[in-house]
Amino acid sequence: NEDESHSMKYVKHIKSMVGKRVPTSMGAGGIHNLDETADYKRGDGPLRLVVVSDTHGYEEGLTPGETILPQGDVLLHLGDFAIDSSVKKKNKAIIKFDAWLARQNFRTKIVLRGNHDPFSVSFPLSNANFVSRPKGISIDGKLTMTLVPYCSPRNLSSSWRNLPMYSDIIASHSPPRGVLDKCYNGANAGCASLRGKVERMIAGPPNLWVCGHIHEGRGSEKVAFGSISPRETLCVNASNANSGRANRIAYGPVVMEIDEEGIATVLQGDKIVEAREQSTELEEELVETGEGVAVP
């Protein structure tokens, strides 16, 4: 029909905007792709994405014994890398986090701001991109990704107006309301405003939505957002911390490959649904004993 034709034309227009074989900004501010030492070269294969989130100063737990993360094209940290402490200790932990990022083997490293993170931070050792306002990027001129750090509904709305109304992938700190967002006290703590905006995307929802924020929500499920398109979105909560107040790394990274059509395949982390069930058991123990404080 005519509406579908307009939608497809819009998608083709967005995907043809950038043709470089690296992530490229589709708005104000650039994206650094300067790690020429990265060994991983995918050639013409699918994009390999490695996703971590909510490390809260315990990032070394992801790479014990001086190991590194699985290699890929893009490393996405979805926020809450900082610790809750004095300014001096927090800054020291951020320097340590930057050094950890520098050891990881990726051409492009992107870190979203979480609700525990400062509004402004630089990563001189790793050259990682810190995103504190919503931003759209294009990869190879084929895949588009919308980056949504933790921000107020007002900042989300003002930035959203400048983003393309189509995206293959959404990477956000917060999960959508009602999806992988249940805290151990039973409350849903996802973002209703962000979910509403995605449901109204003119070309339908993304194929993939990765998020963090709610440690207990670790897992994956397919969800149909809105009525514009019958497309189902694979949602993945990639939180690495334990349930409740973070005091260790409980889960590993999620490794995914995304083809030119935006279809994602989980290569590592495919047991995250089972991990979520284990997390639920821990939640029940915390409630029974009164231990732990929910600090998403």
Side-chain angles (χ1 to χ4, degrees):
N1 59 42
E2 186 176 353
D3 290 339
E4 184 177 13
S5 176
H6 283 310
S7 295
M8 292 308 298
K9 287 180 180 178
Y10 182 78
V11 171
K12 289 179 180 178
H13 166 68
I14 293 300
K15 290 193 172 185
S16 67
M17 288 178 66
V18 181
K20 295 182 179 180
R21 292 191 57 78
V22 292
T24 308
S25 175
M26 299 176 72
I31 289 288
H32 305 302
N33 301 278
L34 301 179
D35 190 356
E36 301 298 338
T37 64
D39 295 329
Y40 182 77
K41 301 290 188 298
R42 79 177 188 280
D44 294 324
L47 174 77
R48 181 168 292 184
L49 195 65
V50 177
V51 188
V52 298
S53 187
D54 296 81
T55 49
H56 294 278
Y58 298 101
E59 61 277 349
E60 293 288 352
L62 287 169
T63 54
E66 299 185 356
T67 57
I68 61 173
L69 292 173
Q71 297 179 18
D73 296 293
V74 180
L75 172 61
L76 269 179
H77 191 298
L78 300 178
D80 279 358
F81 55 86
I83 64 173
D84 291 324
S85 188
S86 66
V87 173
K88 183 177 180 180
K89 288 183 178 179
K90 179 172 285 192
N91 288 339
K92 185 176 180 180
I94 289 174
I95 292 172
K96 183 170 75 73
F97 175 64
D98 186 23
W100 178 83
L101 286 172
R103 296 200 304 271
Q104 310 313 313
N105 198 359
F106 298 85
R107 181 174 295 274
T108 305
K109 302 164 186 175
I110 298 172
V111 179
L112 306 187
R113 177 183 176 265
N115 54 304
H116 289 269
D117 302 328
F119 285 93
S120 178
V121 65
S122 62
F123 299 117
L125 296 177
S126 63
N127 203 38
N129 300 271
F130 180 62
V131 180
S132 58
R133 293 184 68 87
K135 183 183 189 65
I137 64 174
S138 173
I139 303 172
D140 299 356
K142 300 172 184 176
L143 293 172
T144 56
M145 183 185 299
T146 298
L147 307 171
V148 187
Y150 186 85
C151 58
S152 68
R154 180 177 179 180
N155 284 339
L156 175 62
S157 294
S158 63
S159 298
W160 197 263
R161 288 194 294 268
N162 299 319
L163 296 176
M165 288 296 95
Y166 169 79
S167 187
D168 294 294
I169 306 165
I170 289 182
S172 64
H173 179 62
S174 298
R177 176 62 65 87
V179 180
L180 305 172
D181 71 333
K182 187 170 288 188
C183 300
Y184 77 78
N185 62 5
N188 293 100
C191 183
S193 177
L194 179 56
R195 176 170 182 156
K197 293 181 185 305
V198 170
E199 288 178 339
R200 294 190 293 273
M201 280 183 151
I202 65 171
N207 290 303
L208 173 66
W209 190 334
V210 291
C211 61
H213 186 44
I214 307 302
H215 308 168
E216 298 82 6
R218 170 82 180 202
S220 64
E221 63 179 277
K222 287 190 174 182
V223 180
F225 290 103
S227 58
I228 295 176
S229 169
R231 181 190 307 128
E232 285 191 325
T233 300
L234 174 61
C235 297
V236 178
N237 183 322
S239 296
N240 299 115
N242 58 285
S243 296
R245 183 181 293 276
N247 56 35
R248 68 185 186 281
I249 294 296
Y251 308 107
V254 176
V255 183
M256 317 184 80
E257 285 190 345
I258 298 95
D259 65 20
E260 291 185 9
E261 301 302 318
I263 305 303
T265 301
V266 178
L267 303 181
Q268 182 173 326
D270 56 340
K271 300 298 183 184
I272 54 179
V273 173
E274 286 84 348
R276 186 167 175 241
E277 292 172 354
Q278 295 171 9
S279 175
T280 301
E281 295 175 1
L282 176 59
E283 295 162 24
E284 294 172 352
E285 290 178 11
L286 290 173
V287 172
E288 290 175 0
T289 60
E291 297 177 358
V293 180
V295 184

